[in-house]
Amino acid sequence: MQPAVTERDLNQADVADAARYLAGRIVPTPMLGCPELDELAGTRLLLKAENLQHSGSYKMRGATVAVGRLAAAGQATGVVCQSTGNHAAAVAQAARRHGLAAVVVLPPDAAPAKVARAAAAGACVLRADGDPHEVVRQVHADTGYPVIDAYDHPDVVAGQGTAALELIEAAEAAGTPLDALVVPVGGGGGAAGAVLAATGRGIDVYGVEPYGCDSLARSLAAGHRVPVTPAATLADGLRPACVGALPFRVLRDSGIDAVGVGDDAIAHAFRLIVTHLKLVVEPSGAAALAGALRVAETSTHRTVGVLLTGGNVEADLVGRLMEGSAA
């Protein structure tokens, strides 16, 4: 494995290196096609079911690489991170695998299913009423635990990019290479990893944000990071206040397009996934299909890859969404 990325820029080789490290350590999640969804979209859709990943989301990829590097170096007894939920659960599971302690900082309204996953993995769960990064800094100062940032950690970005790489390679092996790739955007780590994975392959990458949580779109337009006050959204995993600094350095000049979607479109995509793919995903993952359907309306792409990034969703929300209500 290459040395950990520090000052140098991330590149495609880092994603490939992360993929080699992850072999045998994570679930090789399936690529799924669906004629009914293809007909609805007017193009071929190939969906990557990362809701079936360890810890229930593709966040397990980045956490496994980042925590694994630390454990191999033998210089840490624990780790700390902040998250809306999935990254915390992934870091907690990765830390347990290596016998490290984990402290995870979550917002007061974090989804109970995600909190439960982190706690079940043995993490110390802290709730932050204010800035979660301040809580992380204090834990780091008190314990010395390295910070596994959800967006601004190079190993996390490279690891997240392996989901896109697997999808790209599976589509090529099936004789249906992608010419577009759609990934949800919160802090931007997954999108940055996807851009790196797609480099030089002639694939247009789209990042999907809920309306009112559009830090990436505003940042791309301004040429620098622009924070937002996140609006209420079904997609709880896609509401950071600002795209990460490291992801934005990757995304700024990548040609990625930002696509906005509303809760109605996310809920509709959720129902399509349950009905036609027989999968349960969280709204943050369903946002990718919502974005792909919107992209398909105004493009001529032949084959669009869609990253269904997670499946940690509350049972009562599943019922409400299937009934057509998200209230």
Side-chain angles (χ1 to χ4, degrees):
M1 198 175 209
Q2 293 185 25
V5 180
T6 51
E7 295 303 316
R8 72 174 177 82
D9 289 336
L10 281 167
N11 57 48
Q12 192 175 48
D14 294 303
V15 179
D17 189 51
R20 287 188 289 272
Y21 177 80
L22 290 173
R25 291 182 168 93
I26 58 167
V27 175
T29 56
M31 177 183 76
L32 304 174
C34 177
E36 293 86 356
L37 293 180
D38 292 351
E39 183 176 357
L40 181 64
T43 192
R44 181 188 296 113
L45 301 179
L46 297 175
L47 302 98
K48 179 73 165 167
E50 282 293 293
N51 58 307
L52 304 178
Q53 188 55 257
H54 292 312
S55 84
S57 86
Y58 81 145
K59 295 288 188 177
M60 195 68 217
R61 295 171 177 273
T64 298
V65 177
V67 176
R69 283 192 191 276
L70 280 172
Q75 297 176 343
T77 59
V79 292
V80 59
C81 72
Q82 68 84 26
S83 165
T84 56
N86 280 338
H87 178 67
V91 167
Q93 286 198 22
R96 181 174 64 179
R97 180 181 295 174
H98 292 285
L100 302 180
V103 179
V104 301
V105 182
L106 299 170
D109 60 348
K114 298 176 181 181
V115 177
R117 276 195 181 271
C124 172
V125 178
L126 303 179
R127 299 300 187 100
D129 290 322
D131 182 359
H133 294 92
E134 287 296 334
V135 178
V136 168
R137 281 190 281 270
Q138 188 60 56
V139 171
H140 172 69
D142 292 343
T143 64
Y145 292 168
V147 178
I148 309 296
D149 194 89
Y151 320 119
D152 278 325
H153 194 295
D155 292 329
V156 169
V157 172
Q160 248 80 290
T162 63
L165 180 61
E166 284 183 14
L167 179 54
I168 291 166
E169 292 181 340
E172 290 176 349
T176 54
L178 304 182
D179 54 7
L181 177 61
V182 182
V183 58
V185 175
V195 161
L196 293 172
T199 299
R201 296 177 183 263
I203 299 172
D204 293 331
V205 182
Y206 297 86
V208 182
E209 296 176 296
Y211 292 143
C213 302
D214 56 344
S215 175
L216 176 60
R218 297 188 187 200
S219 299
L220 291 173
H224 57 83
R225 293 197 301 150
V226 177
V228 299
T229 300
T233 175
L234 287 172
D236 64 291
L238 306 181
R239 52 182 176 84
C242 191
V243 64
L246 172 58
F248 187 65
R249 289 204 302 273
V250 174
L251 296 171
R252 180 177 50 206
D253 301 318
S254 70
I256 190 172
D257 285 327
V259 178
V261 295
D263 276 1
D264 287 347
I266 293 172
H268 177 59
F270 175 91
R271 290 189 289 273
L272 290 174
I273 292 166
V274 173
T275 301
H276 296 298
L277 295 178
K278 314 305 178 187
L279 294 175
V280 176
V281 300
E282 59 191 86
S284 298
L289 177 57
L293 292 174
R294 184 173 177 195
V295 167
E297 292 175 354
T298 58
S299 71
T300 58
H301 297 302
R302 297 179 304 278
T303 306
V304 179
V306 183
L307 287 181
L308 303 178
T309 48
N312 295 317
V313 59
E314 305 302 312
D316 61 338
L317 180 56
V318 172
R320 294 200 306 273
L321 290 171
M322 292 306 293
E323 291 170 358
S325 171

